[in-house]
Amino acid sequence: MNEISLNKKICRLCDAPSLQSFLDLGRMPIANAFLTSEQLKDTEFTFNLEVGFCEKCFIVQLIDMVEPNKLFHENYAYFSSISSVMDNHFADLANEINTEIFYDPTLSVIEIGSNDGILLSKLTGYALNTIGIEPSANVASAARKQGLNVISRFFDSSLAVELSEKYNAAQLVVGTNVLCHIPDLNELAKSLNIVLDDEGVFIFEDPYLLEIMHKLAYDQIYDEHYYYFSVTALQVLFARHGLRLFKVEPISVHGGSMRIYGCKLSSKRSTDESVVRQLAIEDEQGISNLSSYLVFADKVQQSRSSLVELLHKLKDEGKSLVGYAASSKGTVILNYCGINTDILDYVYDNTPSKQGLYTPGTHIPIVSTDNFSSDKPDYAFILAWNHMEEIVAKEEEFRNQGGKFVTHIPEARVV
Ligand code: DWN
Ligand code: SAH
């Protein structure tokens, strides 16, 4: 069984019968299940992409979920090092960790979801005994080729016990864009308690729910993202396990994320005013009210209509249209909006292993960004709007020769 359908009213984190569905994006293939030409004739696995809000513990979660081992495996499509902006971002994070978090060189450092080593490689420069945990074997192997210490398993309580037996306690557990990928966050919190030193810190960065709602970024919703976090909901979750958020920091990457810093309840670290401030902002924005999510869902449908209208208008004018970036988010946009080869000729992408494959569900050929400007498409729809600045800067030639980009965030428009 790959698709686990919950009792639709029961919250996966607090077990209360308080889960309210607010948005149904329909049947969806796995976001990163890019297809070979031979696979195009096969029936693709799909699941129902529906999101709910728990009125008791305030967490936003997928209602049906696909098992993690169907998503994270030996052929995982996403390599974090595809973006130079992200590389700089992780260099800054590693530097901050070194100056503000580390306190004992003999204690270990654990990165959950270390992928191809983009952050781990920077942390090892500062700390001994730095361990990456990465279940997707192909990206883990890319990290090991750089000499990094990576365990290719899911981070769970049994691995936490093994780590605590083999290594000194952790002064830091860090995970970027991975917390929302872990279905059982109660077990995750228990595992943090197992590996962390009494004064140890955990840091997580994930897409931020308020940004998703403000930007109408419904494309952040897909199989790998089981949860969409507010500080309000995370605080409730961690408090249940004797853990405390002591600082939060909004960051710009991936279209607007939140970095959270936490520790054990008993830690000497004081709680920064940023936590109280963010909780007040969330309260003011109605993060605890179902009505806010219903408004968001309505706007998502309007967003789809205006994007489809814009792309059809350009097509009817005889323009050539392509997609730029075969991202996970792209799979959601293309399937939800019914955009296929009738509209987009190709999707350009800089990840070598995605080139030559086809987009899940919509079967658009993925080709190398090397030929993007020389192919001279009229319009390129950006399917990784979070990397817009980086993409626009590197594709100057395309714009110089009259090409135009299209985005749907926060509304469908030519840029
Ligand atoms: O949370 C997740 C984030 C961190 O990464 C994962 N669940 C999966 C993945 O999401 P995504 O696929 O939506 O990631 P990105 O980083 O928004 O998409 C990157 C895609 O864009 C890659 O396929 C590479 C491509 N790209 C490109 O072709 N040229 C990216 C850049 C920056 C470029 O210049
Ligand atoms: N940290 C990287 C990668 C994010 S993609 C970045 O910010 O760019 C999410 C990664 O988490 C994938 O590489 C996936 O294989 C990994 N992952 C998913 N579930 C995990 C788990 N339970 N434990 C550790 N890693 C996990």
Side-chain angles (χ1 to χ4, degrees):
M1 183 178 68
N2 291 313
E3 187 184 355
I4 302 168
S5 190
L6 288 177
N7 176 333
K8 299 208 175 210
K9 291 295 268 184
I10 306 289
C11 170
R12 192 177 294 124
L13 293 191
C14 75
D15 289 333
S18 312
L19 189 58
Q20 301 286 350
S21 170
F22 62 88
L23 176 64
D24 186 346
L25 296 169
R27 297 299 299 180
M28 196 59 68
I30 290 176
N32 271 312
F34 298 98
L35 303 161
T36 61
S37 54
E38 297 78 50
Q39 288 168 328
L40 289 176
K41 59 180 182 340
D42 300 340
T43 306
E44 287 171 74
F45 171 84
T46 61
F47 72 108
N48 201 50
L49 185 57
E50 188 179 356
V51 216
F53 164 69
C54 175
E55 290 188 295
K56 172 104 187 296
C57 75
F58 313 124
I59 191 85
V60 172
Q61 61 193 272
L62 288 190
I63 290 182
D64 293 344
M65 64 174 217
V66 183
E67 275 181 11
N69 56 15
K70 196 165 166 69
L71 310 179
F72 309 114
H73 42 60
E74 64 296 334
N75 201 15
Y76 184 55
Y78 184 69
F79 286 72
S80 302
S81 296
I82 44 78
S83 161
S84 56
V85 168
M86 289 310 296
D87 197 60
N88 292 336
H89 168 75
F90 289 126
D92 290 347
L93 175 58
N95 185 39
E96 184 192 317
I97 286 171
N98 183 42
T99 52
E100 291 180 27
I101 304 295
F102 289 161
Y103 57 92
D104 182 344
T106 65
L107 295 183
S108 63
V109 173
I110 297 172
E111 187 190 349
I112 309 177
S114 49
N115 198 275
D116 60 6
I118 190 168
L119 173 62
L120 197 66
S121 59
K122 297 168 179 66
L123 292 173
T124 45
Y126 297 122
L128 300 168
N129 276 339
T130 303
I131 310 134
I133 311 297
E134 177 46 69
S136 300
N138 59 331
V139 291
S141 141
R144 274 198 214 99
K145 284 195 184 118
Q146 302 167 58
L148 300 169
N149 180 13
V150 180
I151 299 172
S152 202
R153 283 178 48 191
F154 288 92
F155 182 72
D156 56 18
S157 53
S158 64
L159 180 55
V161 170
E162 288 175 44
L163 289 169
S164 69
E165 285 165 358
K166 184 160 177 208
Y167 296 96
N168 287 342
Q171 59 185 323
L172 173 71
V173 175
V174 60
T176 62
N177 305 296
V178 70
L179 191 65
C180 66
H181 297 65
I182 298 180
D184 189 346
L185 292 181
N186 290 312
E187 177 169 2
L188 181 273
K190 284 181 196 144
S191 309
L192 290 177
N193 271 310
I194 295 170
V195 294
L196 273 180
D197 177 57
D198 282 348
E199 286 302 321
V201 168
F202 59 88
I203 301 180
F204 291 110
E205 283 181 18
D206 287 274
Y208 183 43
L209 181 57
L210 273 187
E211 290 285 352
I212 293 175
M213 291 169 74
H214 287 161
K215 296 199 166 105
L216 295 182
Y218 62 84
D219 51 357
Q220 290 283 16
I221 300 167
Y222 54 89
D223 45 39
E224 293 182 17
H225 292 175
Y226 298 112
Y227 300 98
Y228 308 88
F229 295 129
S230 60
V231 175
T232 307
L234 284 173
Q235 199 190 38
V236 173
L237 165 75
F238 287 125
R240 204 186 300 137
H241 296 277
L243 298 167
R244 168 168 62 90
L245 295 185
F246 69 86
K247 181 175 160 188
V248 300
E249 188 183 351
I251 49 174
S252 61
V253 295
H254 287 305
S257 300
M258 186 62 72
R259 182 183 293 164
I260 58 153
Y261 300 74
C263 57
K264 292 187 175 174
L265 211 50
S266 54
S267 163
K268 293 198 264 305
R269 287 182 190 265
S270 56
T271 301
D272 190 76
E273 64 177 33
S274 56
V275 178
V276 179
R277 200 170 48 233
Q278 205 63 38
L279 289 171
I281 292 172
E282 291 184 355
D283 188 46
E284 205 177 284
Q285 304 275 321
I287 210 86
S288 317
N289 305 330
L290 178 62
S291 56
S292 311
Y293 299 94
L294 295 170
V295 169
F296 166 68
D298 264 359
K299 289 188 183 162
V300 166
Q301 285 168 28
Q302 291 162 25
S303 166
R304 168 170 63 180
S305 307
S306 58
L307 174 65
V308 169
E309 195 182 314
L310 173 63
L311 295 180
H312 277 105
K313 179 176 141 296
L314 296 173
K315 197 77 191 170
D316 291 347
E317 286 168 5
K319 307 294 187 197
S320 61
L321 271 66
V322 300
Y324 198 109
S327 65
S328 319
K329 292 179 287 290
T331 297
V332 179
I333 308 164
L334 298 175
N335 283 281
Y336 178 59
C337 299
I339 301 165
N340 54 24
T341 47
D342 293 345
I343 304 276
L344 302 181
D345 299 332
Y346 299 102
V347 173
Y348 290 82
D349 195 281
N350 69 355
T351 314
S353 54
K354 291 184 186 176
Q355 295 158 8
L357 301 180
Y358 295 79
T359 56
T362 49
H363 301 182
I364 305 170
I366 302 167
V367 294
S368 166
T369 42
D370 290 350
N371 307 324
F372 175 61
S373 58
S374 57
D375 283 355
K376 293 194 167 62
D378 295 320
Y379 289 87
F381 175 33
I382 301 190
L383 296 164
W385 52 273
N386 47 315
H387 297 302
M388 181 132 113
E389 256 179 54
E390 182 172 349
I391 290 170
V392 170
K394 87 170 53 144
E395 299 297 357
E396 207 185 345
E397 176 74 18
F398 165 71
R399 286 181 122 193
N400 287 343
Q401 67 202 15
K404 294 194 173 67
F405 284 107
V406 172
T407 184
H408 69 301
I409 299 287
E411 69 225 356
R413 67 207 154 95
V414 174
V415 285

